Amino acid sequence: MKKFIAATAVLALICLAIWTVPYWTHGTKDVTVTGVDHKIMKDHGKTRDIYLVFTTDETYKNVDSPAYLKFNSSDIQGKLIQTGRFRISYYGFRVPIFSMYKNITKAERLN
């Protein structure tokens, strides 16, 4: 019985680690924004707004994130619609096969 409880605890910790890994991978980068897009995703009857930000290096998403207390995606997207140089803060990683993008948490225009 003790082995079962230990194995269950280890499995739960592994699942928790996998689920939270994107939140461990944050950084800051200077990028040149070349364009933006707005997608409306429907999933099980719910509608979500997903903003995409295209740069010369890669594509990022811009969505609200309760884990980062970020609820201003529309405001950030309003800044990024004016293409140019920005310093962005982000978390996550890009996995093209699963359409996963790094999520922008802050954006500051550079001169």
Side-chain angles (χ1 to χ4, degrees):
M1 185 65 164
K2 287 182 182 181
K3 287 182 182 182
F4 176 74
I5 292 172
T8 303
V10 168
L11 183 61
L13 286 174
I14 290 171
C15 290
L16 181 64
I18 290 171
W19 182 64
T20 61
V21 162
Y23 300 105
W24 305 346
T25 56
H26 57 275
T28 302
K29 188 174 185 180
D30 293 346
V31 298
T32 301
V33 175
T34 58
V36 297
D37 194 11
H38 175 225
K39 296 198 177 281
I40 298 172
M41 305 293 287
K42 293 186 179 185
D43 187 22
H44 303 302
K46 294 183 180 181
T47 303
R48 295 185 329 147
D49 290 318
I50 297 179
Y51 301 108
L52 294 178
V53 178
F54 305 102
T55 70
T56 52
D57 298 334
E58 61 185 300
T59 302
Y60 295 84
K61 69 179 176 179
N62 175 20
V63 296
D64 290 342
S65 174
Y68 276 83
L69 298 177
K70 177 193 170 216
F71 303 101
N72 62 344
S73 297
S74 298
D75 297 334
I76 291 174
Q77 198 71 3
K79 284 184 195 177
L80 296 171
I81 209 162
Q82 300 171 350
T83 58
R85 297 278 301 156
F86 288 87
R87 176 166 290 137
I88 61 168
S89 297
Y90 63 87
Y91 71 87
F93 42 83
R94 176 82 169 105
V95 182
I97 196 165
F98 296 120
S99 295
M100 289 175 57
Y101 302 95
K102 296 176 183 175
N103 189 20
I104 295 173
T105 56
K106 293 181 186 174
E108 176 183 322
R109 190 159 188 70
L110 299 174
N111 293 333

